[in-house]
Amino acid sequence: MSRIGVFVCHCGENISATVDCAGVAEAMSRVPGVVHSVDYKYMCSDPGQTMIKDAIKEKKLDGVVVSACSPHMHEPTFRRACAEAGLNPYLCEMANIREHCSWVHEKSEATTLKAIDLVHKMVEKVKKNQPLYSIKVPVTKTALVLGGGIAGIQAALDIANAGHKVVMVERSPSIGGHMSQLSETFPTLDCSQCILTPRMVEVAQHPNITLYTYSELESMDGFIGNFKVRIRKKARCVDEKLCTGCGLCTTKCPTKKIPSEFNEGLGMRSAIYVPFPQAVPNKPVIDKTQCTFFLKGKCKVCEKVCPTKAIRYDQEDEIIEVDIGAIVLATGFNVLGAEHFPEYGYGRYRDVIQGLQFERIASASGPTSGAIRRPSDGTEPETIVFIACAGSRDEAKGIPYCSKICCMYTAKHAMLYKHKVHHGKAYVFYMDIRAGGKMYEEFVRRAIEEDDVKYIRGRVSRIYEEDGKLIVKGADTLLGHQAIEIRADMVVLASAAVANDGAEELAQKLHVSYDPYHFFAEAHPKLRPVETNTAGIFLAGACQAPRDIPETVSQASGAASKVAALFSQSELTREPVIAVVNRIAPPLYSTCTGCALCVPACPYQAIEMEEIKNRDGVVVKRAAKINPGLCQGCGTCVALCRVKAIDLQGFSNEQVFAELMAL
Amino acid sequence: MQDKIIQKAKELLSGGAVQVVIGYGQGTGDRVRAIFIQKPEDAGRLIMDGRCVQNLAGYLMKHEVRALGRAAIVARMPVLRSIAQLMYEEQFKDSDVAVIGISDANELVDLPDLNALKEYVRANPLKLTPEEQAEVDRLDAMTREERWAFWMEETSKCIKCYACRASCPMCYCARCTVEVNQPQWISVPSHDLGNLEWHIMRAMHLAGRCVNCGECTRACPVGIPLRLLNQRIIADIADNFGEEEDYALAAFKPDDKEDFIR
């Protein structure tokens, strides 16, 4: 007969306000096998835990049920308490009578009866529990940082400075990300590249960081501490060891009219190119889709002019395999494309641009060397209209969320414009000004009060061209929806920040969950903001949600400290909640039929087939085998197995059945 | 046709390529039954006519038959499909089985090895006939209550003889779930709940694996139209996952539809 202890928690008044906790404890005391049943105000408190420990010792308990909150919260607490009293921690279970009962029901007898049912089924489960022992796995102390923007750079530097190896993968030819495109940064207006490029160089020179640019993640296998990653290093067609970055090839390349990605299409680049002068590494790449040699089979000008003979047209993509212990996802964001704004004429009128394009125009390294000029004719705009929330907070565009950075950068844009064109007029159409942040509100006030930027609360309905001017039609909702028409020379859309291209596929490769907008999902919105639900994979920056630079950097440092904490031990302890294929007496050896259908079903590639041999070494059977290091205990194989040859430790068929039969 | 099969069987047996040919022979009365020819001179007992519809593939999985040595099997389309599925489930190696294939047009198909069989099955994907589809649609057209009443009525006849399981080539598990009694998920008695549990479980275990041979329906002594359950699942899988050879319940693809999640 079992000797089970039941401990009913009041959780202050969270539970006791609607559930008769003493009644639950009393009802449980009458369940066969329960030898101790009490209720207490705060079970998780020190005296509460002591009650459990004392009872285990005094009453020789062989199972414990704590009926309190979600096991998500305090299961580790109570299991640790049981372990301290000498009971195997996996003989302790929690019945959730808070989230599943007291919080969702009114005070009534039925609520108490439901709580009794919930506790009773856990009592029946615990009767079937077996002692389990945690699994130890080694840790590879190398981190993979995906993305070389400011988030990736910060995370990589922090991890590397903590003394661990870092592999950084960036898909474009240079690290730097969106931050390298920016002109000045709010709220201090310091030059973006001036603060960023030293860090880019530090990444390239750091002895602990291996940098793979123009590379992408091919595949990821394994689990926390033991990931196996394949990186596709795309062919640059340039021998990076020989290339000195002199830039002769880029100046001599005859194909020069390719819209530059770095300049958001406002400038041109050649077919062999370095994205921007401060690029890290400062080695060119041949764009095979544009290069005359790759398209027509002749040219080879770059090969002829290269003083170190570094051009390699026959270079092929290289697959690099690395063992990794933790992954930081820092793949950043993108801005909403032109096709989403037919009403604003974006893509149709050359002087309607988006925020990143304005950044390039305002940047000293940009196509106009920092002079504010219209893309269409190069004249100085006398009037600029800035439209905030272009796409953001707009259900019709499928983006109900706030892009967060636009209010601030729009104020910055208007300010930069006014600083450069003193007589110019800047208008900002906005819905609300969201300037929460240190020095942010002051910054916006400065734009309005000192730099005379005209803020108009209202939406723009349409923009059309007339006599070389852009007619912006809108309404001022603070003046009773009065119609407004502005004859502008240029319009800047603060277009919504969206998840980066390929975010969904990447998330699936890494088994990381994502939200409906393809931003990666954190494990807990408040308490675990830099972790994902996949252990060992962390988040930094705008791949999780739109973020500004200070937030991105602090989050990246947070992710880095998580990685450093993980790497501080040489072994990881894992929960033994894993699936196991049964073994029985001959002649069956296992009820597994060897159909191998569970192999493709496992999302973690944890199942392989093994041969069972008899004592003479003759193969008698092929059966599934689950790698305890890879198994995450999701139970997919258990549900799939027709013969129930697979069972999940801690949630076995017998335990679940006992729970159900108690109801 | 029959002569060609006999000829082929003789060749296979006398050449030593196989030790046994599984085919159809005369049973009692007007019935045909499975026969196991082990000598070339006995090959004349093989017959092939309209009565020969039983799915013989199930015999390939029996210990007693495997003990006879390498087998050749007279295989119409459902048998070929069964063998292909059993191969997918790693129950055969190429060296285990030879086939005397017969197409739907009643022609002998030359399938030198199991890879050729796989190709042949892939080229002829499983589809419901218009009559079968009409029957599925008829059930679909019922209200939930009518359909529930229909199946409760049909399954209430079940006597739990497990003939459906015995006849099915896909029911080869050494220990069927219904015989797992720790814990006993499926109740054994043939009351309403036990019958319903058994048939739902069997249909789910065959989802994505059933080859629509109809053996369960033919085997059922009380005439439950069991194949309707499987045909509905076949139609659903074809609609939602296409007619691919991967096991629909286990194969995950990033572009799988998720419109059932609401």
Side-chain angles (χ1 to χ4, degrees):
Chain A
M1 196 64 182
S2 304
R3 298 184 62 79
I4 293 174
V6 177
F7 300 87
V8 185
C9 179
H10 295 209
C11 195
E13 287 197 333
N14 274 303
I15 296 170
S16 61
T18 52
V19 172
D20 172 13
C21 293
V24 174
E26 195 276 324
M28 284 307 110
S29 68
R30 285 182 273 118
V31 173
V34 174
V35 293
H36 183 77
S37 183
V38 290
D39 61 307
Y40 184 64
K41 207 164 175 71
Y42 290 107
M43 222 71 222
C44 59
S45 68
D46 203 37
Q49 292 188 46
T50 309
M51 279 172 74
I52 297 176
K53 289 186 213 171
D54 291 347
I56 290 173
K57 286 175 196 153
E58 284 162 22
K59 303 262 174 107
K60 298 192 171 27
L61 299 182
D62 61 7
V64 166
V65 175
V66 182
S67 80
C69 52
S70 162
H72 229 65
M73 190 74 201
H74 275 310
E75 194 179 70
T77 313
F78 293 118
R79 286 193 164 168
R80 205 179 311 119
C82 288
E84 281 167 18
L87 187 71
N88 183 289
Y90 297 94
L91 298 176
C92 166
E93 297 278 356
M94 288 189 75
N96 184 355
I97 58 165
R98 193 178 74 177
E99 283 88 338
H100 288 177
C101 192
S102 72
W103 277 0
V104 288
H105 299 299
E106 301 290 318
K107 182 184 174 76
S108 76
E109 202 175 322
T111 306
T112 301
L113 286 176
K114 179 176 172 182
I116 289 172
D117 269 351
L118 290 171
V119 185
H120 184 202
K121 80 183 173 70
M122 286 327 271
V123 169
E124 295 304 325
K125 182 188 179 188
V126 169
K127 287 183 188 172
K128 302 281 181 189
N129 274 22
Q130 299 286 334
L132 300 174
Y133 301 92
S134 49
I135 300 168
K136 298 243 190 276
V137 282
V139 182
T140 307
K141 294 186 181 179
T142 304
L144 172 73
V145 175
L146 286 177
I150 182 59
I153 289 172
Q154 182 68 36
L157 286 174
D158 283 356
I159 298 168
N161 287 335
H164 305 296
K165 297 282 177 205
V166 177
V167 174
M168 182 188 264
V169 174
E170 164 59 45
R171 77 172 161 189
S172 64
S174 167
I175 58 170
H178 283 310
M179 187 174 168
S180 65
Q181 292 176 293
L182 305 184
S183 50
E184 268 110 72
T185 53
F186 60 80
T188 45
L189 290 189
D190 41 359
C191 155
S192 182
Q193 287 212 335
C194 312
I195 55 176
L196 178 67
T197 41
R199 301 224 159 179
M200 291 163 61
V201 174
E202 202 182 333
V203 166
Q205 293 177 346
H206 204 293
N208 279 346
I209 300 180
T210 313
L211 178 59
Y212 296 113
T213 52
Y214 209 45
S215 303
E216 285 185 48
L217 181 83
E218 185 80 1
S219 65
M220 186 278 285
D221 290 319
F223 55 98
I224 180 169
N226 298 273
F227 295 108
K228 284 210 182 319
V229 171
R230 297 173 80 233
I231 299 161
R232 174 177 293 273
K233 193 170 187 305
K234 293 180 279 185
R236 273 179 183 259
C237 299
V238 169
D239 187 325
E240 287 170 86
K241 292 204 179 71
L242 294 179
C243 174
T244 58
C246 70
L248 207 55
C249 51
T250 58
T251 50
K252 297 289 184 199
C253 177
T255 314
K256 286 200 166 60
K257 295 269 181 206
I258 306 163
S260 153
E261 292 86 358
F262 180 73
N263 281 326
E264 294 291 332
L266 294 177
M268 295 297 168
R269 65 162 169 88
S270 44
I272 181 165
Y273 70 108
V274 178
F276 53 101
Q278 301 82 355
V280 170
N282 184 21
K283 315 270 168 164
V285 174
I286 295 184
D287 180 350
K288 287 189 185 177
T289 62
Q290 302 285 351
C291 170
T292 316
F293 173 72
F294 282 100
L295 294 178
K296 300 197 178 126
K298 54 188 173 196
C299 178
K300 295 200 174 186
V301 170
C302 46
E303 189 180 44
K304 282 179 208 114
V305 301
C306 179
T308 59
K309 303 284 170 241
I311 305 292
R312 299 277 179 278
Y313 295 111
D314 56 353
Q315 202 176 59
E316 283 180 3
D317 289 6
E318 197 183 331
I319 301 285
I320 297 158
E321 294 191 13
V322 239
D323 288 338
I324 293 292
I327 298 175
V328 178
L329 272 173
T331 51
F333 71 107
N334 212 336
V335 290
L336 200 59
E339 63 279 11
H340 292 88
F341 306 109
E343 71 274 33
Y344 296 153
Y346 180 53
R348 194 161 66 242
Y349 307 130
R350 289 185 61 195
D351 295 329
V352 179
I353 59 175
Q354 39 93 333
L356 271 178
Q357 290 176 314
F358 189 85
E359 294 285 351
R360 293 315 302 147
I361 291 175
S363 169
S365 70
T368 57
S369 302
I372 308 295
R373 295 281 183 268
R374 295 191 349 154
S376 60
D377 53 12
T379 56
E380 192 173 68
E382 303 284 317
T383 308
I384 298 192
V385 171
F386 295 90
I387 302 177
C389 293
S392 312
R393 303 174 68 194
D394 189 347
E395 291 270 12
K397 302 239 189 278
I399 304 178
Y401 60 84
C402 166
S403 291
K404 197 169 185 182
I405 50 177
C406 323
C407 284
M408 292 306 297
Y409 80 62
T410 296
K412 177 189 77 179
H413 286 173
M415 208 185 254
L416 289 177
Y417 168 67
K418 291 288 286 186
H419 291 177
K420 288 182 175 172
V421 184
H422 300 300
H423 62 282
K425 291 197 189 72
Y427 296 91
V428 175
F429 281 91
Y430 70 100
M431 281 157 70
D432 300 286
I433 302 173
R434 297 186 164 176
K438 193 171 178 178
M439 303 292 289
Y440 283 14
E441 177 62 20
E442 296 93 316
F443 183 78
V444 175
R445 293 318 307 174
R446 206 170 109 204
I448 297 171
E449 286 159 14
E450 290 176 25
D451 293 316
D452 194 28
V453 177
K454 301 270 185 285
Y455 268 69
I456 304 165
R457 188 180 188 281
R459 305 282 285 158
V460 172
S461 57
R462 91 179 255 249
I463 296 170
Y464 59 93
E465 208 168 39
E466 196 178 88
D467 309 329
K469 292 269 184 186
L470 292 162
I471 314 299
V472 179
K473 289 204 167 255
D476 188 333
T477 53
L478 296 182
L479 289 176
H481 293 276
Q482 189 184 332
I484 289 186
E485 183 179 306
I486 296 170
R487 294 173 67 81
D489 299 303
M490 200 160 130
V491 174
V492 182
L493 306 177
S495 60
V498 293
N500 222 333
D501 310 329
E504 195 182 4
E505 292 94 285
L506 182 65
Q508 286 167 353
K509 269 183 198 169
L510 298 172
H511 313 299
V512 164
S513 44
Y514 48 92
D515 68 15
Y517 318 109
H518 298 177
F519 287 112
F520 302 138
E522 62 280 352
H524 188 284
K526 284 158 242 164
L527 299 179
R528 296 172 67 197
V530 301
E531 288 155 86
T532 66
N533 273 324
T534 304
I537 302 186
F538 304 94
L539 297 173
C543 60
Q544 183 194 11
R547 301 203 180 290
D548 58 20
I549 295 167
E551 259 191 302
T552 296
V553 171
S554 47
Q555 202 194 7
S557 287
S561 80
K562 286 278 172 196
V563 172
L566 176 67
F567 288 177
S568 65
Q569 317 146 40
S570 53
E571 263 188 342
L572 278 178
T573 309
R574 282 202 41 218
E575 289 247 310
V577 179
I578 56 165
V580 176
V581 181
N582 69 18
R583 284 286 181 277
I584 59 170
L588 276 184
Y589 296 92
S590 165
T591 58
C592 172
T593 58
C595 72
L597 294 180
C598 53
V599 176
C602 176
Y604 306 99
Q605 288 86 41
I607 309 183
E608 56 192 17
M609 299 303 288
E610 71 165 338
E611 289 174 340
I612 301 179
K613 294 175 180 157
N614 66 10
R615 59 184 168 190
D616 302 324
V618 180
V619 177
V620 286
K621 180 156 205 161
R622 274 170 65 75
K625 182 187 175 193
I626 295 165
N627 181 332
L630 292 173
C631 177
Q632 298 291 311
C634 72
T636 304
C637 56
V638 179
L640 196 81
C641 182
R642 303 190 301 281
V643 282
K644 308 216 179 294
I646 313 180
D647 224 343
L648 190 61
Q649 291 191 151
F651 295 89
S652 69
N653 265 295
E654 276 209 302
Q655 288 170 301
V656 176
F657 192 80
E659 270 188 64
L660 291 176
M661 294 314 278
L663 292 177
Chain B
M1 188 65 212
Q2 188 169 312
D3 298 338
K4 283 185 194 162
I5 293 172
I6 293 172
Q7 185 57 35
K8 188 91 198 262
K10 265 189 189 148
E11 280 168 26
L12 284 167
L13 285 166
S14 52
V18 302
Q19 279 72 52
V20 59
V21 174
I22 308 171
Y24 304 96
Q26 189 59 46
T28 50
D30 192 31
R31 277 176 243 152
V32 289
R33 52 163 293 189
I35 56 168
F36 303 85
I37 308 289
Q38 288 175 275
K39 294 186 207 121
E41 56 269 29
D42 290 343
R45 286 169 53 205
L46 286 165
I47 60 174
M48 175 47 68
D49 56 32
R51 295 170 299 164
C52 304
V53 288
Q54 187 194 349
N55 187 342
L56 300 175
Y59 291 109
L60 292 170
M61 303 298 295
K62 308 282 182 214
H63 293 295
E64 301 85 343
V65 178
R66 289 196 166 190
L68 297 178
R70 186 168 192 251
I73 185 164
V74 176
R76 286 183 184 272
M77 205 58 214
V79 181
L80 294 175
R81 281 192 214 290
S82 303
I83 294 174
Q85 180 62 31
L86 290 169
M87 278 174 70
Y88 184 74
E89 297 177 14
E90 298 191 3
Q91 300 301 312
F92 289 137
K93 286 195 294 290
D94 205 11
S95 52
D96 292 345
V97 184
V99 288
I100 304 172
I102 300 159
S103 73
D104 280 343
N106 242 352
E107 297 288 326
L108 213 57
V109 195
D110 183 37
L111 299 169
D113 58 26
L114 293 186
N115 261 336
L117 179 150
K118 235 195 275 180
E119 288 305 316
Y120 185 74
V121 169
R122 195 177 297 160
N124 294 281
L126 178 57
K127 279 202 188 76
L128 298 186
T129 64
E131 298 81 50
E132 289 170 340
Q133 187 63 49
E135 191 68 2
V136 170
D137 292 345
R138 187 178 71 82
L139 278 182
D140 266 356
M142 291 181 181
T143 63
R144 281 161 81 101
E145 292 72 25
E146 284 169 352
R147 203 158 45 234
W148 177 253
F150 171 83
W151 282 113
M152 287 311 282
E153 171 63 25
E154 289 292 346
T155 53
S156 69
K157 294 187 267 180
C158 178
I159 53 170
K160 284 275 179 89
C161 68
Y162 301 132
C164 44
R165 181 179 76 183
S167 66
C168 178
M170 291 304 144
C171 275
Y172 57 82
C173 297
R175 192 163 74 183
C176 178
T177 306
V178 80
E179 269 124 34
V180 175
N181 54 9
Q182 278 185 325
Q184 183 93 46
W185 284 109
I186 312 286
S187 13
V188 176
S190 63
H191 50 45
D192 278 1
L193 177 68
N195 290 348
L196 196 70
E197 280 177 349
W198 162 246
H199 290 294
I200 289 175
M201 183 211 83
R202 220 182 82 82
M204 284 315 291
H205 283 185
L206 287 168
R209 304 168 66 237
C210 173
V211 297
N212 196 25
C213 65
E215 206 51 53
C216 47
T217 310
R218 280 194 292 277
C220 182
V222 293
I224 304 172
L226 288 170
R227 63 192 298 185
L228 277 174
L229 284 173
N230 297 319
Q231 283 167 347
R232 170 60 201 266
I233 295 176
I234 289 170
D236 274 356
I237 288 176
D239 286 353
N240 288 305
F241 301 100
E243 286 151 354
E244 283 173 44
E245 55 181 326
D246 284 341
Y247 178 44
L249 259 58
F252 164 78
K253 288 187 212 72
D255 56 346
D256 277 346
K257 283 189 227 163
E258 289 176 356
D259 48 6
F260 58 93
I261 301 171
R262 281 181 242 272

